[in-house]
Amino acid sequence: MFGWSEAEALGQSLPLAVELVRALQDKNLLRTVVQRKDGESLEIDCRIAPRATGGWIVLSTDLTRTVASEREREDLIAREREANARIKAESRFRELLEAAPDAIIEVDREGRIVLLNAVTVKLFGYTREELLGRSVDALIPDAARGRHATHRANYWEKPMTRPMGQGLTLLARRKDGSEFPVEISLSPVRSEEGFRVTAIIRDVTDRKIAEEKIRAANQQLELRNQEVERANRLKSEFLASMSHELRTPLHTIIGFAELLGEELEGPLNEKQKRFLKHVHEDSLHLLDLINDILDISKIEAGGMQLNTESFDAREAVRVAVESIRNLAAQKSISVENQVEKETFVLADRVRFREILSNLLSNAVKFTPEGGRIEVGLGLPQEDKVVFSVSDTGIGIAAEDQEAIFDKFRQVSAATHGVREGTGLGLAIVKHLVEMHGGSIWLESTVGVGSRFSFSIPADRSQPPAPPVVLVIEDEPAARELLSSYLSPLGIRTECAATAKEGIEMARRLRPDAVTLDLLLPGSSGWSVLRQLREMPETSATPVFVISVVDESRAAIDLGATEYLQKPLKKEALVRALRRHAPARFGMV
Amino acid sequence: MYYETILMKTILVAEDRDASRELIRTVLTAAGYAVVEARDGREAIDRAFETRADLVILDLYMPHTDGFGVLARLRGDDHYSKVPIVALTASAMAGDREKAIASGFSEYISKPVNLTLLRQEVGRLLGNA
């Protein structure tokens, strides 16, 4: 066609070369003009493709001007385009295949590998050539190989995309015979050559190692938990039996000491009594220690459960204060209870009392003769009530204040000359307060005294009952005036128009305070005052006598709390209420 | 004197420790009760049926049969189904008292015993407090 012989053409550089390269870029199809040997120019269409050995191959040519009809030519071009598209799609597919992070193989019905990617080579250690056309069994460990043919047959029964051997740990085999864990997912592929199956094989060695590590860690954790539980149980059992064993001999030591002290078996001389007292007191101290150690061990072992409920702390404080009074009286220490208003807390009643009792007995212990102890309420926190126990004791130096809540930490200098304690009381108190979600702190000055404060969750759902003032007054306008003074302050007013009604209501309502108009019809105000003072229900209730006439001396003598002259100003009344019943009116 | 003996209430004290038994015996004898002693659970059951005591004090942990075992035997008896039976123990764990009362003990006294409390409880249970 070109006029060259084969021998002439071979090795000759193609005058087409430049155009060929261009043709390659131009979708492999080119119409160009070449020169024949005889010098004549020919317009040709050609398709080129890269050769595996390098270089290019011109796949087809067409002498359009001389041979092909226009229609044939277009037909040809369409076919060429199709072929090109297929090549392109195939190369895209190749790229995808090779870029996949997993090994991908395609296996035909007979189990022969017909396609594989680079990862497969890398993963299994075979070359492409070694694997192509070879049975997939090569990749399966000896142990599983026997069953594989059956599995394959089953898969053809029901070809669908699914993971292989779900729930099992699958192993694959490398060329060198070593095995590694894999996950395989299978998809059926329909191709010109028939049904095939694509297997995507993921090496899960790293994941398995990580999983194994986690599993081992969990197992160890589980073991350690069991050990801790067992240790805790043993500790509890040990505590129970130790407590029992220690108390058993103490029982007879204390008992016989008491018995001897009762002198039922004969009188003791003073020295014997003193010796016996030492034995008795120290055996009681030993008992305290045992009880405290048991308590703190229970708390630390997590064996102490709080029985949280809502209750008015006032009552618990009262009981704790009353039970310490005897001990305090022995040292002429006065104990004041300022917790007079309703204070609802969410706490364990028994433990709350234990906290207070511990702090109170501590205060007694460290307060010298004639001192003073006070239980009160501190500034409330957002959701907590603050209680405080103050004393006029020896105080605690700033540098020791931190250590004082530690176990067995009595600040040695401070305890000089003071009867020893167990050294556990404050540690227990701190634990108990913290178990309630509260905190405990201390303010103290050496030689002046200490104030221990602790917070306990408040029960705000219980609104405190409003204070009540009973107004005994015959004039409606005056009654209304007093009501209008007090109601905006959250004080409930109850009114009585006559002396009889006033006394009856005072007995029934037990108001927090009474105002009394001296000029009542029926009975004089004075007799009402006397009766109020005589009734046990109202004998301590503040009574404010209100009158136009100044008879303050007589009123006070007869038991009035204060005398207020009409016209009465609001401020004067509120001041009087606050002064004489601060617990109920201090906050209004 | 003769009438006093007849009217004396009898208390059975079952306790394996000699010292503790002597302590309780001394206190109760001085308080005017007749005391019968037993050193273990088996002996407690024998003595109980010999004497038909008015009150029984059982240490909870004794050889042979413990306090709960003795209690079960005694409560099955017509006489002892109505007699106060007191548990005595050095155990002081939470729930011990509840467990004892639930088992059928009339009262629970923990060691170390407060002598005044012991006298009071015994007097109360015998109805002459």
Side-chain angles (χ1 to χ4, degrees):
Chain A
M1 179 163 58
F2 298 102
W4 306 94
S5 71
E6 193 181 337
E8 284 171 332
L10 271 174
Q12 199 178 337
S13 79
L14 269 174
L16 291 169
V18 177
E19 284 83 357
L20 280 172
V21 173
R22 234 183 54 220
L24 191 70
Q25 290 163 345
D26 188 22
K27 300 184 196 299
N28 301 1
L29 195 66
L30 171 74
R31 174 177 296 180
T32 188
V33 177
V34 292
Q35 283 223 306
R36 279 165 54 133
K37 193 186 176 186
D38 58 12
E40 197 184 333
S41 290
L42 273 180
E43 190 179 77
I44 60 164
D45 280 345
C46 59
R47 201 189 87 168
I48 54 160
R51 265 175 58 168
T53 51
W56 306 95
I57 187 161
V58 180
L59 288 175
S60 94
T61 59
D62 186 17
L63 309 177
T64 48
R65 201 175 52 183
T66 54
V67 182
S69 73
E70 205 52 29
R71 231 179 102 230
E72 279 173 324
R73 206 172 61 84
E74 268 158 25
D75 245 24
L76 188 73
I77 291 168
R79 261 210 316 281
E80 289 301 328
R81 287 213 174 106
E82 207 175 288
N84 278 319
R86 200 161 52 233
I87 288 169
K88 201 177 167 199
E90 220 160 275
S91 87
R92 286 287 298 278
F93 163 70
R94 259 289 155 201
E95 275 170 33
L96 263 176
L97 189 68
E98 296 303 337
D102 298 326
I104 299 173
I105 58 172
E106 203 168 275
V107 176
D108 66 12
R109 271 199 101 115
E110 284 69 45
R112 283 185 306 246
I113 298 167
V114 294
L115 183 136
L116 61 124
N117 66 351
V119 180
T120 311
V121 170
K122 199 174 129 215
L123 211 55
F124 287 88
Y126 290 98
T127 63
R128 267 174 207 270
E129 290 69 28
E130 281 173 320
L131 283 178
L132 275 173
R134 191 164 171 184
S135 168
V136 73
D137 284 350
L139 309 181
I140 298 165
D142 302 348
R145 198 173 298 144
R147 295 190 301 272
H148 198 257
T150 325
H151 290 318
R152 242 169 17 230
N154 289 341
Y155 187 79
W156 293 120
E157 297 277 309
K158 238 175 139 183
M160 56 187 238
T161 301
R162 62 167 173 84
M164 182 173 168
Q166 205 163 15
L168 302 175
T169 300
L170 298 177
L171 291 174
R173 183 180 184 278
R174 292 193 192 90
K175 188 181 180 184
D176 64 11
S178 60
E179 294 174 6
F180 60 101
V182 286
E183 259 176 19
I184 302 175
S185 82
L186 302 173
S187 335
V189 180
R190 187 200 296 269
S191 75
E192 289 153 20
E193 294 88 355
F195 264 121
R196 287 174 172 181
V197 58
T198 302
I200 301 175
I201 304 161
R202 174 167 294 180
D203 179 0
V204 293
T205 306
D206 290 347
R207 210 186 67 204
K208 288 283 174 193
I209 289 171
E211 278 173 3
E212 181 57 33
K213 268 187 194 156
I214 291 170
R215 208 185 55 76
N218 278 343
Q219 198 177 8
Q220 202 140 32
L221 209 63
E222 177 63 24
L223 274 176
R224 206 168 303 162
N225 271 347
Q226 282 174 5
E227 227 163 273
V228 168
E229 262 171 44
R230 193 172 147 270
N232 261 347
R233 205 180 52 243
L234 284 179
K235 191 176 171 186
S236 294
E237 282 165 11
F238 170 74
L239 280 174
S241 78
M242 186 194 68
S243 156
H244 183 269
E245 293 312 305
L246 291 174
R247 287 158 155 276
T248 298
L250 257 183
H251 158 64
T252 36
I253 296 171
I254 294 172
F256 279 113
E258 280 181 19
L259 205 54
L260 280 175
E262 286 175 358
E263 300 184 289
L264 289 174
E265 309 297 326
L268 301 174
N269 65 36
E270 285 312 305
K271 209 171 190 176
Q272 287 168 331
K273 276 188 197 164
R274 202 169 65 243
F275 290 178
L276 189 63
K277 191 166 154 263
H278 292 325
V279 172
H280 189 226
E281 277 181 0
D282 269 359
S283 57
L284 286 179
H285 176 65
L286 194 53
L287 181 62
D288 280 349
L289 261 172
I290 292 165
N291 288 341
D292 279 1
I293 289 172
L294 195 65
D295 247 12
I296 203 140
S297 306
K298 263 193 273 185
I299 293 170
E300 284 179 353
M304 185 177 278
Q305 302 289 325
L306 290 185
N307 184 15
T308 305
E309 56 180 327
S310 168
F311 62 92
D312 186 357
R314 222 174 8 172
E315 179 61 13
V317 173
R318 197 187 58 74
V319 172
V321 167
E322 289 315 312
S323 56
I324 203 75
R325 266 194 215 288
N326 267 340
L327 197 64
Q330 287 172 20
K331 290 173 77 179
S332 310
I333 296 169
S334 69
V335 187
E336 305 243 344
N337 180 6
Q338 306 280 2
V339 184
E340 287 172 345
K341 75 172 180 154
E342 217 169 38
T343 307
F344 274 89
V345 293
L346 286 171
D348 182 309
R349 208 185 277 265
V350 175
R351 299 301 168 193
F352 178 77
R353 206 148 73 204
E354 191 177 339
I355 294 167
L356 270 174
S357 299
N358 261 310
L359 290 177
L360 281 168
S361 67
N362 226 44
V364 170
K365 207 180 299 168
F366 294 103
T367 299
E369 298 258 337
R372 191 165 169 279
I373 294 170
E374 191 180 297
V375 185
L377 289 170
L379 276 180
Q381 297 173 349
E382 194 186 338
D383 55 350
K384 293 192 183 71
V385 185
V386 175
F387 298 89
S388 66
V389 176
S390 324
D391 61 54
T392 57
I394 53 182
I396 300 150
E399 62 267 28
D400 294 327
Q401 290 182 8
E402 193 67 26
I404 197 141
F405 293 107
D406 293 351
K407 274 179 279 183
F408 295 115
R409 283 289 285 272
Q410 279 189 340
V411 188
S412 52
T415 55
H416 180 73
V418 171
R419 194 178 158 235
E420 63 191 320
T422 62
L424 285 168
L426 284 177
I428 292 173
V429 164
K430 184 167 189 271
H431 269 298
L432 289 176
V433 168
E434 285 170 359
M435 277 175 79
H436 280 90
S439 52
I440 184 163
W441 62 96
L442 160 72
E443 301 145 83
S444 186
T445 309
V446 173
V448 176
S450 307
R451 180 204 300 272
F452 284 90
S453 304
F454 64 96
S455 56
I456 287 286
D459 184 7
R460 299 268 190 247
S461 65
Q462 303 272 353
V468 178
V469 172
L470 175 63
V471 174
I472 307 176
E473 164 72 70
D474 61 326
E475 258 181 76
R479 283 204 300 268
E480 214 153 290
L481 180 70
L482 286 180
S483 281
S484 75
Y485 283 170
L486 299 177
S487 299
L489 299 173
I491 299 169
R492 208 174 92 210
T493 48
E494 294 284 338
C495 299
T498 66
K500 187 161 172 274
E501 202 184 343
I503 288 173
E504 194 273 313
M505 284 177 79
R507 193 200 303 270
R508 183 164 48 84
L509 292 171
R510 302 206 189 175
D512 296 294
V514 177
T515 68
L516 175 63
D517 179 18
L518 272 186
L519 300 171
L520 284 171
S523 163
S524 104
W526 298 117
S527 79
V528 175
L529 180 58
R530 201 181 58 242
Q531 283 186 64
L532 287 175
R533 280 291 163 257
E534 280 165 4
M535 293 196 303
E537 293 90 341
T538 55
S539 61
T541 309
V543 178
F544 303 100
V545 168
I546 302 172
S547 177
V548 282
V549 283
D550 185 355
E551 293 181 272
S552 57
R553 174 56 59 84
I556 302 294
D557 285 349
L558 275 167
T561 307
E562 196 161 322
Y563 181 87
L564 303 167
Q565 199 167 353
K566 280 186 182 176
L568 179 61
K569 289 217 179 72
K570 180 183 175 180
E571 287 68 35
L573 177 62
V574 171
R575 251 201 325 271
L577 288 170
R578 280 194 187 136
R579 188 158 50 237
H580 295 286
R584 297 297 283 155
F585 298 101
M587 308 298 275
V588 301
Chain B
M1 193 63 211
Y2 173 76
Y3 287 105
E4 265 183 34
T5 316
I6 290 291
L7 293 172
M8 244 186 194
K9 295 273 171 91
T10 303
I11 299 174
L12 171 63
V13 176
E15 155 75 85
D16 61 319
R17 291 190 79 240
D18 294 344
S20 176
R21 209 169 54 249
E22 182 173 2
L23 175 69
I24 292 161
R25 185 191 65 216
T26 311
V27 171
L28 295 178
T29 309
Y33 300 106
V35 174
V36 177
E37 297 172 56
R39 274 167 304 191
D40 59 51
R42 210 156 48 198
E43 213 181 299
I45 294 166
D46 291 347
R47 295 283 164 280
F49 290 119
E50 283 166 22
T51 56
R52 304 216 150 298
D54 299 296
L55 184 139
V56 181
I57 297 175
L58 297 176
D59 184 58
L60 285 185
Y61 302 101
M62 288 183 292
H64 300 307
T65 309
D66 71 5
F68 291 104
V70 177
L71 175 82
R73 278 295 306 277
L74 296 190
R75 285 301 188 209
D77 176 73
D78 209 33
H79 170 74
Y80 284 107
S81 66
K82 301 179 206 78
V83 160
I85 303 179
V86 177
L88 183 68
T89 176
S91 164
M93 304 307 280
D96 283 350
R97 160 179 282 273
E98 288 70 19
K99 190 183 157 206
I101 301 295
S103 305
F105 278 103
S106 318
E107 193 46 78
Y108 175 96
I109 296 177
S110 63
K111 296 178 186 177
V113 158
N114 177 307
L115 300 189
T116 313
L117 183 85
L118 177 65
R119 290 186 194 103
Q120 273 173 9
E121 286 302 314
V122 167
R124 182 178 65 80
L125 289 167
L126 287 173
N128 52 0

